[in-house]
Amino acid sequence: MTLYLGIDGGGTGCRAVVADKAGTVLGRGQSGPANIASDPDRARSNILDATHHALTEAVGASALGAELGRLRAGLGLAGANAAGAAGRLQLDLPFAHTRIETDAMTTAMGALGGADGVVAAIGTGSVFASIRRGQFRQIGGWGFTLGDEGSAAVLGRSILSYALRAHDGHAEMTSLLADLIKDHGGPSGIVAFAQSARPTDFAALAPRVTGADDPAAHILMRAATQSVARAIKVLRDGDALPVVFTGGLGPVYRARLSQSERWLIKDAAGTALDGALMLARGAA
């Protein structure tokens, strides 16, 4: 029996699904982060760990070794757009057939379900993609240091930066900013936090921005929403492509932009794992 493996790997976790030729899901697994650019060794370990869990559920522990090398795999991974990262990982995986693409591609494939459209995937990070007549295009996805506009991580970092500017007198102090400074033990505490904070740590502050009735939060959300809208408009390129919002902050931006833009906004047809299985089936 031919088995297909779909992998959705990002900065916060890795999910795996094993399905048969008819598309029936036989097993699921999950593990830790799988960004193949920032930590390739850890990513490989977590990809295999999630695969083992899914395959064990699908065929049982006794058949795990025999089936692992016959899997046809499609992997959508964070960091796959870093030069050489996908090629190195592909050589180091035990599957019979392997196709590795960015998690943006598998997210778009799953969310659009084979149709044309634009996907705005906004969570801890962000990436924007379109599929038009079978052609995939991506905007963003450059990571926390260089991009991730509108993301939870960038919102968290931005509100802390705003708080420090307010402390210095370069911006108006608001109740939200004052609370953040107090919660971190003063400006020096914010600096100390930022020295070791990961994107997920900054992202934990995002709800204090998206849900706040505060002047500073309003300014940041207005700028972030404009940035998201610009990316979507570039991808639509004048066509009436529908837009799908995914990710933890997807509903936030969907609500804001549905009030200001005359776009056809649709619910996601599927998940990034569905898109990964499409890759796997295409590798057969």
Side-chain angles (χ1 to χ4, degrees):
M1 179 174 61
T2 301
L3 293 179
Y4 299 91
L5 170 69
I7 294 284
D8 173 36
T12 56
C14 179
R15 299 180 300 155
V17 62
V18 171
D20 63 16
K21 193 172 184 178
T24 302
V25 173
L26 305 176
R28 298 180 183 272
Q30 60 184 32
S31 188
N35 186 313
I36 63 173
S38 62
D39 196 342
D41 291 337
R42 186 184 185 195
R44 178 184 180 276
S45 177
N46 286 331
I47 288 167
L48 291 177
D49 188 36
T51 298
H52 289 163
H53 287 304
L55 191 56
T56 299
E57 185 177 307
V59 301
S62 61
L64 178 63
E67 294 296 339
L68 188 64
R70 293 204 287 261
L71 286 172
R72 298 180 181 273
L75 296 84
L77 302 174
N81 56 345
R88 287 190 295 271
L89 177 65
Q90 187 162 356
L91 293 173
D92 206 23
L93 291 175
F95 312 132
H97 295 275
T98 305
R99 182 177 173 186
I100 300 173
E101 300 289 352
T102 67
D103 52 347
M105 177 178 280
T106 50
T107 296
M109 291 173 67
L112 296 172
D116 287 357
V118 173
V119 176
I122 313 168
T124 299
S126 70
V127 67
F128 306 87
S130 66
I131 296 177
R132 180 188 278 104
R133 294 182 291 278
Q135 296 299 308
F136 173 79
R137 183 184 180 189
Q138 176 178 327
I139 287 180
W142 305 121
F144 179 64
T145 302
L146 299 175
D148 280 353
E149 294 83 1
S151 70
V154 168
L155 286 176
R157 182 186 64 194
S158 297
I159 197 64
L160 290 182
S161 177
Y162 205 137
L164 292 179
R165 293 200 305 275
H167 169 77
D168 289 338
H170 291 276
E172 178 187 354
M173 182 64 72
T174 70
S175 59
L176 172 60
L177 302 179
D179 286 344
L180 284 167
I181 293 172
K182 179 181 178 182
D183 291 347
H184 286 81
S188 61
I190 291 179
V191 173
F193 167 82
Q195 297 306 305
S196 59
R198 297 185 175 188
T200 51
D201 299 318
F202 285 108
L205 298 171
R208 301 181 70 169
V209 181
T210 59
D213 185 13
D214 180 273
H218 293 327
I219 290 172
L220 290 184
M221 285 305 302
R222 184 162 55 248
T225 302
Q226 290 171 350
S227 180
V228 168
R230 283 195 296 270
I232 293 172
K233 288 175 181 177
V234 167
L235 289 170
R236 294 182 90 230
D237 194 24
D239 291 340
L241 294 178
V243 181
V244 176
F245 292 88
T246 68
L249 290 185
V252 173
Y253 289 105
R254 175 175 178 161
R256 295 177 68 90
L257 287 167
S258 64
Q259 298 174 8
S260 60
E261 303 291 343
R262 295 181 177 179
W263 299 333
L264 173 60
I265 298 177
K266 291 185 174 182
D267 294 334
T271 68
L273 276 174
D274 295 320
L277 280 177
M278 289 179 181
L279 280 184
R281 295 170 70 84

